[in-house]
Amino acid sequence: MRRAIFPGSFDPLTNGHLDIIKRSSPLFDEIVIAVLNNADKHPMFSVGERCLMISEVLPSVETGNCKMIVDSFSGLTADFARDSGATAIIRGIRAVSDYEYELRMALMNRRLEPAIETVFLMAGEEYSYVSSTLMKEVFELGGRVEGLIPDLVEGKMRAKLGK
Ligand code: PNS
């Protein structure tokens, strides 16, 4: 049984995240999409809303025989991965600018849990500039984000901001 976690803030879920989920599904039997419950931040969506959104969108993603689980966690990703029985942490790399931060996290997570490998997947080039932060900013300022976030997520952003 090859189980991985795909940790992130997912505030909100983007098509870039879905691309990574789709690409990683043939590599594992089970993937836990792990939504960080970060009390320090002021997210647009609560952890519960983010988990629900992901669960609602997932059936539209081709994940073959890979079982997908949505869960939330607080504290260290390495602890959550170990406690979940995962052997890998999935992270997406969009551009060279992601590399330094991701390298530091991967090395720290490896120091914390040497048996767990970080697996990097390259996001599709059409999503190389897509981040949750940019999507929120553009949407809040009235810009178009179709094709970059799932329609369901766009609807929830619209409802949240009263647009
Ligand atoms: O989607 P994001 O915001 O890029 O995800 C970042 C995330 C959640 C993977 C990272 O912030 C994280 O792992 N946070 C949990 C706390 C932790 O383990 N910190 C040490 C990382 S080496």
Side-chain angles (χ1 to χ4, degrees), residues 75-87:
L76 289 172
T77 293
D79 288 348
F80 181 76
R82 184 201 56 232
D83 295 347
S84 307
T87 53

PDB file of all heavy atoms in Angstrom, residues 75-87:
ATOM      1  N   GLY A  75      -0.334  21.633  13.202  1.00  0.00           N
ATOM      2  CA  GLY A  75       1.012  21.220  13.604  1.00  0.00           C
ATOM      3  C   GLY A  75       1.875  20.882  12.415  1.00  0.00           C
ATOM      4  O   GLY A  75       1.668  21.400  11.311  1.00  0.00           O
ATOM      5  N   LEU A  76       2.828  20.000  12.647  1.00  0.00           N
ATOM      6  CA  LEU A  76       3.820  19.699  11.608  1.00  0.00           C
ATOM      7  C   LEU A  76       3.302  18.739  10.547  1.00  0.00           C
ATOM      8  O   LEU A  76       2.689  17.707  10.864  1.00  0.00           O
ATOM      9  CB  LEU A  76       5.070  19.087  12.245  1.00  0.00           C
ATOM     10  CG  LEU A  76       5.960  20.004  13.069  1.00  0.00           C
ATOM     11  CD1 LEU A  76       7.044  19.201  13.788  1.00  0.00           C
ATOM     12  CD2 LEU A  76       6.596  21.079  12.183  1.00  0.00           C
ATOM     13  N   THR A  77       3.614  19.075   9.303  1.00  0.00           N
ATOM     14  CA  THR A  77       3.272  18.184   8.187  1.00  0.00           C
ATOM     15  C   THR A  77       3.945  16.819   8.370  1.00  0.00           C
ATOM     16  O   THR A  77       3.333  15.775   8.108  1.00  0.00           O
ATOM     17  CB  THR A  77       3.752  18.838   6.864  1.00  0.00           C
ATOM     18  OG1 THR A  77       2.954  20.000   6.654  1.00  0.00           O
ATOM     19  CG2 THR A  77       3.601  17.915   5.688  1.00  0.00           C
ATOM     20  N   ALA A  78       5.204  16.833   8.810  1.00  0.00           N
ATOM     21  CA  ALA A  78       5.944  15.573   8.965  1.00  0.00           C
ATOM     22  C   ALA A  78       5.239  14.663   9.983  1.00  0.00           C
ATOM     23  O   ALA A  78       5.138  13.444   9.778  1.00  0.00           O
ATOM     24  CB  ALA A  78       7.372  15.858   9.402  1.00  0.00           C
ATOM     25  N   ASP A  79       4.726  15.257  11.069  1.00  0.00           N
ATOM     26  CA  ASP A  79       4.008  14.460  12.081  1.00  0.00           C
ATOM     27  C   ASP A  79       2.726  13.888  11.492  1.00  0.00           C
ATOM     28  O   ASP A  79       2.385  12.725  11.715  1.00  0.00           O
ATOM     29  CB  ASP A  79       3.646  15.329  13.304  1.00  0.00           C
ATOM     30  CG  ASP A  79       4.852  15.671  14.158  1.00  0.00           C
ATOM     31  OD1 ASP A  79       5.921  15.054  13.943  1.00  0.00           O
ATOM     32  OD2 ASP A  79       4.725  16.558  15.024  1.00  0.00           O
ATOM     33  N   PHE A  80       2.014  14.751  10.749  1.00  0.00           N
ATOM     34  CA  PHE A  80       0.754  14.287  10.162  1.00  0.00           C
ATOM     35  C   PHE A  80       1.018  13.148   9.165  1.00  0.00           C
ATOM     36  O   PHE A  80       0.284  12.160   9.134  1.00  0.00           O
ATOM     37  CB  PHE A  80       0.017  15.440   9.478  1.00  0.00           C
ATOM     38  CG  PHE A  80      -1.288  15.027   8.873  1.00  0.00           C
ATOM     39  CD1 PHE A  80      -2.408  14.804   9.680  1.00  0.00           C
ATOM     40  CD2 PHE A  80      -1.405  14.801   7.506  1.00  0.00           C
ATOM     41  CE1 PHE A  80      -3.611  14.375   9.127  1.00  0.00           C
ATOM     42  CE2 PHE A  80      -2.604  14.380   6.952  1.00  0.00           C
ATOM     43  CZ  PHE A  80      -3.713  14.172   7.761  1.00  0.00           C
ATOM     44  N   ALA A  81       2.073  13.312   8.364  1.00  0.00           N
ATOM     45  CA  ALA A  81       2.400  12.270   7.375  1.00  0.00           C
ATOM     46  C   ALA A  81       2.708  10.950   8.087  1.00  0.00           C
ATOM     47  O   ALA A  81       2.197   9.894   7.709  1.00  0.00           O
ATOM     48  CB  ALA A  81       3.590  12.720   6.526  1.00  0.00           C
ATOM     49  N   ARG A  82       3.532  11.028   9.121  1.00  0.00           N
ATOM     50  CA  ARG A  82       3.888   9.806   9.868  1.00  0.00           C
ATOM     51  C   ARG A  82       2.648   9.172  10.492  1.00  0.00           C
ATOM     52  O   ARG A  82       2.412   7.972  10.352  1.00  0.00           O
ATOM     53  CB  ARG A  82       4.916  10.151  10.962  1.00  0.00           C
ATOM     54  CG  ARG A  82       5.435   8.947  11.739  1.00  0.00           C
ATOM     55  CD  ARG A  82       6.016   9.351  13.083  1.00  0.00           C
ATOM     56  NE  ARG A  82       5.033  10.105  13.875  1.00  0.00           N
ATOM     57  CZ  ARG A  82       5.278  11.294  14.438  1.00  0.00           C
ATOM     58  NH1 ARG A  82       6.445  11.879  14.334  1.00  0.00           N
ATOM     59  NH2 ARG A  82       4.318  11.914  15.127  1.00  0.00           N
ATOM     60  N   ASP A  83       1.825   9.997  11.152  1.00  0.00           N
ATOM     61  CA  ASP A  83       0.642   9.470  11.829  1.00  0.00           C
ATOM     62  C   ASP A  83      -0.373   8.902  10.837  1.00  0.00           C
ATOM     63  O   ASP A  83      -1.215   8.075  11.207  1.00  0.00           O
ATOM     64  CB  ASP A  83      -0.018  10.564  12.691  1.00  0.00           C
ATOM     65  CG  ASP A  83       0.888  10.999  13.835  1.00  0.00           C
ATOM     66  OD1 ASP A  83       1.886  10.294  14.103  1.00  0.00           O
ATOM     67  OD2 ASP A  83       0.621  12.057  14.442  1.00  0.00           O
ATOM     68  N   SER A  84      -0.326   9.382   9.585  1.00  0.00           N
ATOM     69  CA  SER A  84      -1.247   8.866   8.559  1.00  0.00           C
ATOM     70  C   SER A  84      -0.721   7.577   7.937  1.00  0.00           C
ATOM     71  O   SER A  84      -1.383   6.994   7.081  1.00  0.00           O
ATOM     72  CB  SER A  84      -1.409   9.875   7.412  1.00  0.00           C
ATOM     73  OG  SER A  84      -1.769  11.124   7.895  1.00  0.00           O
ATOM     74  N   GLY A  85       0.496   7.198   8.283  1.00  0.00           N
ATOM     75  CA  GLY A  85       1.092   6.007   7.678  1.00  0.00           C
ATOM     76  C   GLY A  85       1.553   6.266   6.253  1.00  0.00           C
ATOM     77  O   GLY A  85       1.679   5.333   5.458  1.00  0.00           O
ATOM     78  N   ALA A  86       1.817   7.533   5.925  1.00  0.00           N
ATOM     79  CA  ALA A  86       2.257   7.868   4.563  1.00  0.00           C
ATOM     80  C   ALA A  86       3.765   7.675   4.438  1.00  0.00           C
ATOM     81  O   ALA A  86       4.508   7.817   5.404  1.00  0.00           O
ATOM     82  CB  ALA A  86       1.891   9.316   4.242  1.00  0.00           C
ATOM     83  N   THR A  87       4.195   7.360   3.220  1.00  0.00           N
ATOM     84  CA  THR A  87       5.634   7.247   2.961  1.00  0.00           C
ATOM     85  C   THR A  87       6.113   8.395   2.087  1.00  0.00           C
ATOM     86  O   THR A  87       7.296   8.489   1.780  1.00  0.00           O
ATOM     87  CB  THR A  87       5.967   5.916   2.255  1.00  0.00           C
ATOM     88  OG1 THR A  87       5.133   5.803   1.105  1.00  0.00           O
ATOM     89  CG2 THR A  87       5.751   4.732   3.183  1.00  0.00           C
TER      90      THR A  87
END
